Amino acid sequence: MKLTSEQISQIQPSLSGGKIYYDDIRAELVDHIASKVEDAMETGIPFEEALESTQKEINPFNFQMRLLVASHLGFVKTIASKMLKGSMLLRSILLFAVWVIIINFFEYSPEVAEKHIKTIFISTTVGLAIMGLWGGLLKNSKVVAAGNTLWLIICISQFVLNLDLMVWLGLPPIIAIYLITFSLSLLYIAGLSEVVFQTKKLSVT
């Protein structure tokens, strides 16, 4: 039994008050509640009773958190798979080449190069988040999850892609800094492409 538009409009006010922050998750929760209400009404339960029972059963905050966790885990896999694509590798090589030119032009030591490179990648990722906030994109959970995943990967990589660690493992400092630079370039390009993809999907819909 399909709900009328008037009945669906009665569901939406129950999700106000900051329980659901993201517009797309709010719409998905409305659909979820509507579906459960329809199932209950098929058994002969009146709409008002079915709606009240369903609203008591569903915790909006938990519903939102489950979707956000699933999105973040999904984007980790997506970004990892994108890192293996030829187009991502090519773009990463171009970004890596720019960094190599900068490192050699300014004659940075490996230690200074590591500091500058990591600072730039992290600050650029934060800058993207600020731009998204200004552009109103942070009300969409997919865009936010893609951006968060990129930022988290870049931050975690700071500990894994460590110059001292690589030198301790036996790599020459210049080779180590080049490896760090290329790895961060690949992570950044793959993650950024997913953020752009999710943003474009939002503009289409």
Side-chain angles (χ1 to χ4, degrees):
M1 181 181 295
K2 290 291 183 182
L3 299 183
T4 65
S5 57
E6 182 181 346
Q7 289 173 325
I8 292 177
S9 67
Q10 295 182 47
I11 298 174
Q12 295 167 341
S14 65
L15 304 179
S16 60
K19 295 178 182 178
I20 300 292
Y21 178 78
Y22 301 101
D23 295 336
D24 57 317
I25 292 182
R26 181 180 291 104
E28 190 165 344
L29 181 52
V30 168
D31 289 341
H32 181 67
I33 292 175
S35 177
K36 293 185 75 69
V37 170
E38 288 170 355
D39 291 341
M41 291 175 66
E42 290 287 349
T43 65
I45 300 176
F47 168 75
E48 289 76 12
E49 183 180 337
L51 176 58
E52 183 179 358
S53 175
T54 301
Q55 288 173 332
K56 289 180 180 179
E57 177 185 338
I58 297 174
N59 185 312
F61 178 79
N62 291 341
F63 182 88
Q64 179 172 254
M65 286 302 300
R66 283 197 301 272
L67 290 183
L68 288 174
V69 170
S71 292
H72 281 77
L73 292 176
F75 283 126
V76 169
K77 297 178 182 178
T78 300
I79 292 173
S81 65
K82 282 195 170 188
M83 290 172 63
L84 303 177
K85 292 185 176 181
S87 60
M88 296 296 118
L89 289 170
L90 179 59
R91 294 172 191 171
S92 300
I93 289 172
L94 294 174
L95 180 57
F96 168 71
V98 171
W99 270 113
V100 170
I101 292 171
I102 293 173
I103 290 171
N104 286 283
F105 180 81
F106 290 101
E107 298 181 347
Y108 287 145
S109 67
E111 293 77 13
V112 172
E114 179 188 30
K115 180 180 179 180
H116 285 348
I117 290 166
K118 289 183 174 181
T119 300
I120 290 295
F121 276 115
I122 290 179
S123 60
T124 303
T125 307
V126 172
L128 288 172
I130 294 173
M131 289 174 60
L133 178 62
W134 179 70
L137 297 175
L138 300 190
K139 292 293 287 182
N140 181 273
S141 69
K142 296 296 184 183
V143 174
V144 170
N148 279 349
T149 304
L150 169 59
W151 180 77
L152 287 170
I153 291 175
I154 293 293
C155 287
I156 292 172
S157 69
Q158 310 301 303
F159 302 99
V160 179
L161 301 173
N162 183 276
L163 180 63
D164 291 337
L165 174 61
M166 291 186 175
V167 171
W168 180 79
L169 291 173
L171 287 177
I174 191 63
I175 299 299
I177 196 61
Y178 284 163
L179 178 59
I180 290 170
T181 303
F182 178 74
S183 300
L184 285 173
S185 297
L186 182 56
L187 286 170
Y188 184 77
I189 292 295
L192 182 60
S193 70
E194 186 59 28
V195 174
V196 171
F197 175 71
Q198 293 300 325
T199 303
K200 286 183 177 179
K201 280 177 60 178
L202 181 60
S203 64
V204 169
T205 56

